[in-house]
């Protein structure tokens, strides 16, 4: 009955991190055990001592032990005998020793700082556990700074994982909402970053060996989970590095130097050039570019592009079509026929692209398309 009620009300349990830090936190709290035990024993000893010496009730003896042990200076709460006063002096001395020991333990634990770091990390892990379809960005570089800035603008969730000791200061400076100080290719880092529910991984190390290790580790983790492949993006400065990373399983490998050279060449040819695609995709406008493979059961197969009335129904434009032989047709005309396994490149608003996906994936011609 409870499960049915939770399902009806759409209640979901709070997601928990895949990596539990409780054991490490308990290990850091271990030094507190002795002071706590000593305090309990002193209260027990003092209470029984006052009951035995002055024959007061247990509550009165417990209260007198408390104000004596803490040296608050309230005075005697009952008419105390000389033996009781001597016992109080002994209790004060022992209490002061235990208090000094406890303060020393607290200062030592705080001085090491590991407990505070673990508590901060646990709070971070619980926040990361709530993420779904996020990207895990590995290694902090200049590329990471620029990429995370664009991700925030596009509202794409991400977690930055880097072994740098100053990652917390870096995260504050560059507004990383979620970050982890770990070696990205380790199993612990993958579990802490909740890679199991991530959409993909981006590795941006300037060292090609780090990127190779990262891609290989993610592929192994992917097989272990038995899930759909992650979308993997990496960078490489040399053509042979780009090919190597693609063979390992990266979906996209970008060469920053080559991209910059291509853009600079285009500007050098015509310094008045304006890349409208960049203006649309990377500005604050609500325009996006998306590719969609036409399903085998789609009603638009073997129809001319103008017969789909895609622009009229969804306000989305087809800016390109790639056939099964990887031949790309830019800005296709209305007479272009859509074939099996074609990939169409769509440009439009998020709402329009969503309607276009539904329209192109359905097997029967929609009613609204019959009357356009």
């Amino acid at each position: 009955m409870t499960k049915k009620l939770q399902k009806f009300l759409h209640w979901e349990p709070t997601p928990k991190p895949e990596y539990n830090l409780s054991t490490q936190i308990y290990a850091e709290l271990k030094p507190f055990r002795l002071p706590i035990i000593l305090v309990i024993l002193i209260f027990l000893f003092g209470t029984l001592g006052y009951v035995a010496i002055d024959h007061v009730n247990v509550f009165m003896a417990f209260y007198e032990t408390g104000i004596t042990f803490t040296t608050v200076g309230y005075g005697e709460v009952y008419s105390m005998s000389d033996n009781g006063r001597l016992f109080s002096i002994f209790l004060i001395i022992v209490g002061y020793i235990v208090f000094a020991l406890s303060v020393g333990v607290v200062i030592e634990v705080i001085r090491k700082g590991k407990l505070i770091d673990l508590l901060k990390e646990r709070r971070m892990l619980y926040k990361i556990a709530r993420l779904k379809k996020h990207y895990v960005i590995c290694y902090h570089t200049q590329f990471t700074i620029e990429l995370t800035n664009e991700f925030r603008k596009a509202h794409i969730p991400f977690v930055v994982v880097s072994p740098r000791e100053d990652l917390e200061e870096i995260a504050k400076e560059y507004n990383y909402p979620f970050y982890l100080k770990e070696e990205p290719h380790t199993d612990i880092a993958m579990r802490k970053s909740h890679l199991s529910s991530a959409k993909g991984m981006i590795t941006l190390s300037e060292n090609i060996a780090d990127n190779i290790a990262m891609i290989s580790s993610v592929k192994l983790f992917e097989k272990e989970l038995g899930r759909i492949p992650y979308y993997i993006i990496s960078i490489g400065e040399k053509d042979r590095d780009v090919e190597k990373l693609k063979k390992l399983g990266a979906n996209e490998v970008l060469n920053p130097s080559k991209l910059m050279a291509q853009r600079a060449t285009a500007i050098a040819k015509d310094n008045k050039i304006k890349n409208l695609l960049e203006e649309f995709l990377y500005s604050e406008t609500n325009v996006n570019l998306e590719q969609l493979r036409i399903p085998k059961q789609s009603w638009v197969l073997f129809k001319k592009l103008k017969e789909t009335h895609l622009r009229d129904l969804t306000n989305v434009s087809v800016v390109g079509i790639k056939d099964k032989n990887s031949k790309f047709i830019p800005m296709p005309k209305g007479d272009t026929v859509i074939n099996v396994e074609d990939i169409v490149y769509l440009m439009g608003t998020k709402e329009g692209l969503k309607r276009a996906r539904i329209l192109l994936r359905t097997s029967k011609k929609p009613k609204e398309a019959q009357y356009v």
Side-chain angles (χ1 to χ4, degrees), residues 63-79:
Y63 182 72
E64 181 65 33
T65 302
I67 62 176
T68 303
F69 170 69
T70 56
T71 64
V72 296
Y74 283 171
E76 298 174 359
V77 295
Y78 66 91
S79 181

Side-chain angles (χ1 to χ4, degrees), residues 303-362:
K303 288 184 171 55
K304 294 180 179 179
L305 189 59
K306 62 183 179 182
E307 293 175 351
T308 64
H309 304 289
L310 188 65
R311 185 174 179 82
D312 298 321
L313 295 172
T314 64
N315 198 26
V316 168
S317 299
V318 178
V319 296
I321 297 178
K322 184 189 288 185
D323 62 21
K324 62 181 179 180
N325 297 320
S326 297
K327 181 183 177 181
F328 184 74
I329 304 173
M331 304 306 296
K333 296 180 179 180
D335 292 330
T336 304
V337 177
I338 300 175
N339 295 303
V340 180
E341 296 185 9
D342 277 357
I343 297 176
V344 294
Y345 293 81
L346 309 172
M347 179 179 284
T349 62
K350 290 182 179 179
E351 296 77 13
L353 290 171
K354 184 178 180 180
R355 292 196 300 270
R357 287 196 298 269
I358 296 172
L359 184 70
L360 294 175
R361 285 171 175 168
T362 186

Side-chain angles (χ1 to χ4, degrees), residues 154-199:
H155 305 289
I156 300 174
F158 62 89
V159 179
V160 176
V161 184
S162 177
R164 291 189 54 156
E165 292 295 329
D166 57 345
L167 185 60
E168 185 175 356
E169 290 76 19
I170 291 171
K172 291 178 181 178
E173 182 178 356
Y174 297 108
N175 299 318
Y176 297 164
F178 309 106
Y179 59 90
L180 291 169
K181 188 175 69 175
E182 292 286 350
E183 282 290 348
H185 65 272
T186 60
D187 181 67
I188 292 175
M190 293 181 188
R191 290 163 61 191
K192 285 184 177 181
S193 62
H194 224 256
L195 189 62
S196 59
S197 65
K199 184 177 182 180

Side-chain angles (χ1 to χ4, degrees), residues 108-122:
E108 179 63 20
V109 172
I110 294 175
R111 187 187 64 81
K112 290 195 299 184
K114 195 171 180 181
L115 177 61
I116 296 174
D117 291 341
L118 286 171
L119 294 175
K120 286 182 180 179
E121 186 177 1
R122 188 172 69 169

